[in-house]
Amino acid sequence: MKLAAIGFVVLLAFPGFAQQDCTRTLKGTILESKSELPVAGAVLTIAGATQEAISQADGQFLYTVPCSDSLRVRISHLAYRDTVLIVNTRENHTLKLLLVPEIHVLNSTLLIGHQSSVRDASHIERLTAHELERVQGSALADQIDQITGVRVLRSGSNISKPVVRGLYGNRVVIVQNGVRLEGQQWGTEHAPEVGSFFTGDVSVIKGPQSLRYGQDAMGGTVVIQPAPIRRSPGVSAEISMLGTSNGRGAGSALRLDLRPAFLPALGIRLQGNGLISGDHRAPGYYLDNTGKREYNGSATLEWSRNQWNVQAYYSLLNTDLGVLSTSHIGNLTDLQQAFETTTFPDTAQFRYLIRRPSQHVEHELVRIGGDIPLQLFGKLSWQYARQYNLRQEFDKHRAYNDSIAALDLPALQLEITTHSGELVWHQGVWRNVTGGIGITGNSRKNTQEGRFFIPNFKAQAWGIFMYEKWHAPNDLWDLDIALRYDQITQTAYMWRDGTLVNPHQDFKGVSGHGAVHMRPGKDVAISLQSGWSWRPPGMNELYSNGLHHGAAAVEYGDSTLNKESVWSSSLRVGYTPSRIRIDMEVYHMQFQSFINLIPGDQPALTIRGAFPTYYYTGVPATLYGLDANIAVPVSKGLDFSLGGSILRGKDRSSGKFLSQMPPDRLRASVNYTQSPSIKWISKWYGSVSCEWVNKAWKVDPLSDFAPPPKAYVLPGMQLGADLLIANQSVAVHVVVTNLLNSTYRSYLNRFRYYADESGTDVQLRIRIPIH
Amino acid sequence: MTQVTNRLLSKPALLAAFVLFNILAVTSCKKDPDPVDQPAQEENEGEIITTMIVEVSDSAGVLPHQSFIFRDEDGPGGNEPSQFDTLLLAPETTYFVSIVLLNETITPADTISLEVLEEGEDHLFCFTVSGLDLDIIRTDSDGTYEIGLESTWHTGATGMGDVQIELKHQPGIKDGTCDPGETDVDLTFETHIE
């Protein structure tokens, strides 16, 4: 939906010698946009013609073409964005074409599925670095929440997870730097282990289109792609700063890019950031113990020459999160009391200090990977990655026993170490067909200490996938097809009734998807997609057996659960009459088995009283929904946009609507952008927005402890400018959320029982790029 | 700017970057020391309360000493509680009652009620009687407020009903009432006065 640039084309046209016959020869050179190094192997095609031309090692090409006032020439190369050039071939030309690398050289065909371009109704939504700049320093889920159809599942102010098509956790895959994130994504109170400051862009692929990173992305895939390291020799840096009024937070990030003049093949990037914030404030009172600390760092080394490429990457994330103290309750009576509390004694003082309950999370990633060019046969990409994830959860209550309490141990500690590797052959372009084939493998080891929630386990998986894309010569349609086969083995290690047991499970299966992208008219694009995907049951779904803190429920896994599988189909239409843009998407997901928590009929008796019980059960379920967006330019610089999403989920066996599904949302905004003729302001913008979220009125009232919260309206505001201060460009953004300091509760917040959402927050962001 | 650039690009700087990268990538690779296939047998979180013993003795010393027990060896969830006694009391009698809490996941069992006594100013036992002629008075103190580990129970006429025993954790917020804090124990004993 975002207008992803199809690539910049610099056309230096020199009128050649006029000729009388009806073919012309296009001559020129193809270069990479930043480094201006020649690009070999780029394919030039014209719609309807059988002949094509390929650029040589020095980037030069010769292409015999028919005469036309406006001939469309497509330039394709795997590592670069497709570019369409419209050229008057009644005259001879010498062209200089600059190609923009496809997101990143290393991961050129990272998104399997159709690349978005202006004219395609693909299911990929991309937020550019520029759009992300306005929200940098917020949690990942909050950053991508601006995409229609992407929602946020919260556990209080600090913990948020992205929800795509109503699904989250194990059903949404997050990929950073080309590596699939492996943490403890199964828990609703586990935020994805991604830093708040990242550079580059984020794509959300809705639905199970992207088979590249696994067969299990039923909701979708979130791909975070770093900006490429600077291409020309020299140093550049970027300083980002953030201040927030709610929580009195401050953060800053520094990025340094280096490419030595004596060794231009080598690129180095160092990045670091820190963030600190204190207790958030709801209208009228502080949310006790909602502070946050985050320290991250990363380093990249890249060596590239003649399309050979090797990259080494290291990153470390370190987060401490306070958990709202009133959310840790002892039993159902306490929970009941929490519901009934409508007035909050403002006893909590603002504090930066994080006390119990809290979480400590570390995530370490080491990755090496590269590309081996095979000239006309495409290229080979390889990658190895190791991830280590540590999660510690500290309960509100210390141990009674002083000597144990003195150790200050977490009540729950999980450590997961993942090794993964992949090898992908990206075939060259041949007769409008591109594609590739790849194998992936990974091995995971998890250990737990403390309160039992999921067992120790080992898991191994391998998969093979292929994808092909055919671009019709008449430019009117494309075909996508992808297939994948996976085998997954998992063994759990745990004590049951005094004996060590190690149940073992094997899963295997095929997944696939196909899509047709059509452009029947000059302002219409239609995309139809359908696919099959599956995932093995998660360790919590198989083996959890105990009291879930904060949820006031006893959850039981089912070790006999089989895999979850879904057919999902969607239709997307893009319509752009004049300058109005309309995007609409309907989708339907038919789950053969949707693993869900179903309330049990017998409460569990514990020393803390009786608790309701929930059982992980595979139920037949259907999810369907609509995401729509319209953008209308009102006058020069002024535009209006309206977006909304509706989603319903139903358990087909009981006929009941599923709980925890995002309620309907509608969002409107008016944006104004101007480039004034003032020397020190190159551009400024202002925008006012309003979000309406409906009550989750379809939810079965018996599925929850308290009725869903009321509908609410939230206005917001954004103001920003690109400034030039003493020859230094500075970008400034001010974002105000919950403008009227409204008191409301969100159905998608697991802590909705305990407290209101945060009040007004004024966020100031400053970005200074130094070249 | 160019001068700065040139200086930054000198070889020592480059070397430093390499060294930094290597330090990051090699030396700080974090490892999980725990063996996957040998999980710890007990919850080494510290503790859970598995057992509550209500020790009952007749103040006149006539009736035999009795212990009524709730026991859930593996804590909340997992297996069902293995023992949940009915309190059996005689009419028109005054009893001295003391409460013992144990963590029996470890051997020897840890007496949690000793810790409760030690942190008396953070804890309060609450007794709620329903359907019975029974008066319960807490007899111990943390210096300011009662605790409830020790109490006297005075029974009236015969009957059947319930006694709910709650342990409230009220760090810094104890005011002698049962309202503040979170609940660590909440057991409702079926009680017969006969």
Side-chain angles (χ1 to χ4, degrees):
Chain A
M1 196 177 306
K2 299 293 165 194
L3 284 169
I6 54 164
F8 300 103
V9 177
V10 176
L11 171 60
L12 301 173
F14 301 105
F17 299 102
Q19 288 181 16
Q20 304 303 314
D21 58 294
C22 228
T23 54
R24 292 286 184 272
T25 303
L26 277 179
K27 270 197 301 193
T29 317
I30 297 179
L31 305 172
E32 192 177 291
S33 63
K34 278 195 178 155
S35 64
E36 302 222 346
L37 293 167
V39 174
V43 180
L44 290 87
T45 48
I46 38 175
T50 48
Q51 257 203 319
E52 54 186 35
I54 295 171
S55 65
Q56 305 303 305
D58 56 0
Q60 299 217 2
F61 66 89
L62 282 172
Y63 193 14
T64 308
V65 295
C67 315
S68 162
D69 285 332
S70 54
L71 186 73
R72 287 168 62 90
V73 182
R74 177 179 286 268
I75 301 109
S76 322
H77 190 288
L78 275 167
Y80 300 89
R81 293 194 183 175
D82 271 18
T83 302
V84 175
L85 175 70
I86 296 168
V87 59
N88 179 353
T89 51
R90 301 245 175 245
E91 295 168 344
N92 279 346
H93 292 294
T94 302
L95 306 171
K96 182 181 165 197
L97 300 172
L98 302 184
L99 293 185
V100 177
E102 178 57 88
I103 314 178
H104 193 276
V105 177
L106 261 183
N107 300 296
S108 53
T109 36
L110 138 140
L111 311 172
I112 294 173
H114 201 75
Q115 274 301 337
S116 57
S117 73
V118 179
R119 298 280 320 282
D120 284 321
S122 72
H123 296 64
I124 300 169
E125 314 248 8
R126 177 174 291 150
L127 291 175
T128 62
H130 197 72
E131 288 163 304
L132 289 167
E133 190 177 308
R134 301 180 187 184
V135 287
Q136 211 178 45
S138 308
L140 170 69
D142 295 283
Q143 297 201 21
I144 60 175
D145 173 57
Q146 47 186 310
I147 295 173
T148 304
V150 176
R151 307 293 288 272
V152 184
L153 178 74
R154 285 178 204 287
S155 293
S157 327
N158 284 331
I159 302 164
S160 56
K161 288 174 89 81
V163 180
V164 186
R165 287 186 176 170
L167 303 175
Y168 56 85
N170 282 339
R171 299 179 182 108
V172 171
V173 170
I174 295 172
V175 176
Q176 191 175 24
N177 236 304
V179 180
R180 182 189 156 115
L181 189 72
E182 292 290 353
Q184 307 287 355
Q185 50 269 76
W186 50 270
T188 51
E189 69 281 41
H190 304 165
E193 297 84 357
V194 174
S196 311
F197 289 85
F198 43 81
T199 52
D201 57 20
V202 177
S203 305
V204 176
I205 309 166
K206 293 182 185 175
Q209 274 196 98
S210 170
L211 293 176
R212 167 83 138 90
Y213 296 103
Q215 79 302 340
D216 50 355
M218 299 167 168
T221 310
V222 178
V223 182
I224 303 162
Q225 198 56 37
I229 298 177
R230 67 171 290 149
R231 300 262 156 204
S232 53
V235 181
S236 51
E238 193 175 275
I239 300 167
S240 307
M241 284 173 284
L242 163 73
T244 62
S245 70
N246 201 331
R248 301 178 206 171
S252 68
L254 173 70
R255 188 183 83 189
L256 196 67
D257 274 17
L258 222 139
R259 194 172 284 279
F262 60 87
L263 194 59
L266 181 72
I268 299 168
R269 168 174 293 166
L270 297 173
Q271 195 182 9
N273 72 270
L275 183 77
I276 176 168
S277 74
D279 291 341
H280 286 248
R281 194 173 166 82
Y285 57 96
Y286 284 105
L287 296 163
D288 188 43
N289 197 34
T290 51
K292 180 180 180 176
R293 308 261 182 294
E294 186 185 303
Y295 314 99
N296 309 327
S298 72
T300 316
L301 277 184
E302 184 188 80
W303 185 86
S304 53
R305 199 166 177 177
N306 300 335
Q307 297 181 49
W308 284 80
N309 189 316
V310 181
Q311 198 191 51
Y313 174 80
Y314 175 89
S315 75
L316 180 63
L317 171 125
N318 221 306
T319 321
D320 284 288
L321 296 171
V323 175
L324 181 70
S325 59
T326 51
S327 74
H328 262 227
I329 46 149
N331 69 359
L332 262 190
T333 322
D334 294 359
L335 183 65
Q336 200 59 44
Q337 220 158 35
F339 300 151
E340 286 158 10
T341 307
T342 44
T343 53
F344 289 85
D346 195 9
T347 50
Q349 295 297 306
F350 174 83
R351 273 185 279 199
Y352 282 107
L353 185 71
I354 296 172
R355 286 151 291 132
R356 287 163 173 256
S358 65
Q359 296 182 357
H360 174 74
V361 177
E362 291 174 25
H363 193 90
E364 186 189 57
L365 167 65
V366 183
R367 172 195 187 274
I368 53 167
D371 286 335
I372 300 164
L374 305 172
Q375 305 310 328
L376 289 176
F377 299 103
K379 66 171 183 176
L380 208 57
S381 300
W382 59 276
Q383 168 176 307
Y384 162 78
R386 178 189 185 272
Q387 291 176 80
Y388 166 79
N389 182 281
L390 169 72
R391 161 169 293 275
Q392 295 182 318
E393 296 184 7
F394 296 87
D395 280 0
K396 187 176 180 179
H397 206 323
R398 279 171 193 277
Y400 281 102
N401 186 314
D402 287 343
S403 58
I404 297 173
L407 297 174
D408 202 20
L409 290 174
L412 170 67
Q413 172 172 303
L414 297 169
E415 286 170 279
I416 182 162
T417 311
T418 308
H419 296 268
S420 58
E422 64 171 43
L423 189 65
V424 186
W425 172 58
H426 305 283
Q427 73 197 52
V429 185
W430 178 79
R431 299 215 176 273
N432 283 340
V433 175
T434 61
I437 186 162
I439 51 168
T440 64
N442 78 56
S443 154
R444 290 177 295 150
K445 282 181 182 178
N446 181 77
T447 64
Q448 68 95 20
E449 279 164 68
R451 172 163 26 91
F452 182 86
F453 215 89
I454 61 164
N456 284 10
F457 68 86
K458 286 182 189 169
Q460 276 94 34
W462 72 272
I464 180 161
F465 64 89
M466 59 155 294
Y467 67 99
E468 295 296 331
K469 171 183 153 184
W470 181 68
H471 177 75
N474 63 8
D475 246 4
L476 293 181
W477 54 297
D478 297 292
L479 259 179
D480 265 339
I481 189 155
L483 273 174
R484 186 176 172 115
Y485 174 78
D486 289 271
Q487 275 194 2
I488 298 162
T489 303
Q490 44 193 40
T491 312
Y493 299 87
M494 60 191 162
W495 291 89
R496 282 280 147 101
D497 301 321
T499 28
L500 182 65
V501 292
N502 48 349
H504 173 89
Q505 285 171 307
D506 284 305
F507 299 96
K508 53 189 163 211
V510 175
S511 47
H513 87 85
V516 194
H517 310 280
M518 287 167 284
R519 289 170 292 275
K522 113 177 171 324
D523 45 18
V524 185
I526 299 172
S527 226
L528 188 64
Q529 178 264 330
S530 194
W532 169 260
S533 53
W534 65 280
R535 68 175 183 96
M539 282 294 158
N540 59 320
E541 293 161 340
L542 290 166
Y543 304 114
S544 61
N545 186 347
L547 187 59
H548 195 158
H549 246 263
V554 176
E555 293 179 3
Y556 295 102
D558 176 358
S559 59
T560 64
L561 277 177
N562 212 334
K563 60 190 184 189
E564 177 177 283
S565 51
V566 63
W567 249 120
S568 60
S569 306
S570 59
L571 171 71
R572 184 158 178 151
V573 180
Y575 180 50
T576 49
S578 62
R579 288 172 58 225
I580 298 171
R581 223 175 66 232
I582 300 168
D583 290 286
M584 211 179 74
E585 178 183 39
V586 285
Y587 54 90
H588 181 270
M589 286 180 270
Q590 183 93 351
F591 280 88
Q592 270 58 46
S593 162
F594 181 73
I595 302 174
N596 201 17
L597 275 175
I598 304 290
D601 39 352
Q602 289 292 321
L605 182 66
T606 77
I607 199 156
R608 290 184 178 186
F611 286 90
T613 50
Y614 288 91
Y615 291 84
Y616 281 103
T617 315
V619 295
T622 305
L623 272 72
Y624 50 95
L626 163 78
D627 293 339
N629 234 8
I630 175 166
V632 185
V634 181
S635 66
K636 192 175 180 295
L638 185 71
D639 67 78
F640 169 78
S641 74
L642 184 69
S645 55
I646 297 174
L647 166 66
R648 297 284 177 267
K650 225 171 184 175
D651 176 343
R652 294 199 304 274
S653 62
S654 67
K656 284 179 180 164
F657 285 91
L658 297 171
S659 57
Q660 293 302 326
M661 288 290 147
D664 314 334
R665 175 167 81 173
L666 208 56
R667 199 149 51 172
S669 68
V670 180
N671 314 292
Y672 184 71
T673 312
Q674 198 200 22
S675 300
S677 48
I678 305 170
K679 205 179 129 199
W680 54 279
I681 302 179
S682 52
K683 197 181 89 184
W684 74 273
Y685 70 88
S687 123
V688 180
S689 63
C690 196
E691 175 177 297
W692 170 78
V693 178
N694 199 1
K695 182 177 170 166
W697 54 286
K698 284 284 192 187
V699 170
D700 175 18
L702 295 176
S703 68
D704 205 341
F705 299 115
K710 294 193 291 268
Y712 60 87
V713 174
L714 276 191
M717 206 182 81
Q718 289 191 0
L719 198 64
D722 290 334
L723 309 175
L724 200 66
I725 301 167
N727 278 332
Q728 171 60 54
S729 64
V730 176
V732 180
H733 306 277
V734 178
V735 175
V736 187
T737 57
N738 193 359
L739 190 62
L740 302 178
N741 202 26
S742 316
T743 301
Y744 71 103
R745 294 190 186 200
S746 158
Y747 181 66
L748 286 183
N749 192 337
R750 302 268 298 173
F751 286 7
R752 62 181 179 274
Y753 311 129
Y754 314 112
D756 296 315
E757 296 286 323
S758 296
T760 304
D761 187 20
V762 182
Q763 305 160 359
L764 171 70
R765 290 178 177 81
I766 298 172
R767 190 180 66 93
I768 308 168
I770 302 164
H771 294 292
Chain B
M1 199 65 198
T2 21
Q3 270 189 346
V4 176
T5 310
N6 287 338
R7 239 182 295 141
L8 272 169
L9 288 185
S10 65
K11 284 181 186 178
L14 188 65
L15 195 69
F18 261 115
V19 170
L20 181 68
F21 183 88
N22 283 316
I23 289 170
L24 280 171
V26 180
T27 62
S28 69
C29 228
K30 290 169 183 284
K31 284 196 177 68
D32 176 3
D34 310 311
V36 179
D37 47 11
Q38 294 295 324
Q41 189 165 5
E42 71 274 359
E43 304 218 0
N44 49 359
E45 154 193 0
E47 71 209 1
I48 45 175
I49 305 171
T50 60
T51 310
M52 180 193 257
I53 307 171
V54 183
E55 309 258 13
V56 175
S57 53
D58 173 19
S59 64
V62 179
L63 298 167
H65 179 92
Q66 296 181 91
S67 294
F68 302 104
I69 296 172
F70 170 90
R71 179 177 279 137
D72 185 6
E73 279 107 342
D74 61 350
N79 296 324
E80 292 283 290
S82 58
Q83 192 175 359
F84 197 1
D85 293 342
T86 299
L87 305 184
L88 300 172
L89 305 171
E92 304 296 345
T93 311
T94 301
Y95 289 98
F96 294 140
V97 175
S98 52
I99 292 171
V100 177
L101 298 173
L102 299 177
N103 173 12
E104 293 185 305
T105 59
I106 50 173
T107 333
D110 192 8
T111 310
I112 305 290
S113 39
L114 293 179
E115 317 287 343
V116 173
L117 180 64
E118 203 173 297
E119 297 164 19
E121 65 282 2
D122 293 343
H123 291 98
L124 181 69
F125 278 93
C126 298
F127 301 90
T128 313
V129 179
S130 50
L132 279 175
D133 187 1
L134 173 65
D135 286 327
I136 300 177
I137 299 159
R138 292 181 285 246
T139 53
D140 52 356
S141 169
D142 64 10
T144 315
Y145 302 111
E146 296 159 351
I147 302 172
L149 280 165
E150 306 291 335
S151 53
T152 57
W153 295 25
H154 183 78
T155 58
T158 57
M160 291 210 275
D162 293 320
V163 177
Q164 183 191 16
I165 305 176
E166 289 175 283
L167 170 60
K168 291 283 189 174
H169 185 224
Q170 306 173 325
I173 47 176
K174 186 169 174 180
D175 62 0
T177 73
C178 295
D179 294 336
E182 43 173 318
T183 311
D184 283 353
V185 173
D186 181 352
L187 289 174
T188 302
F189 286 89
E190 193 180 334
T191 308
H192 297 176
I193 299 177
E194 53 192 24

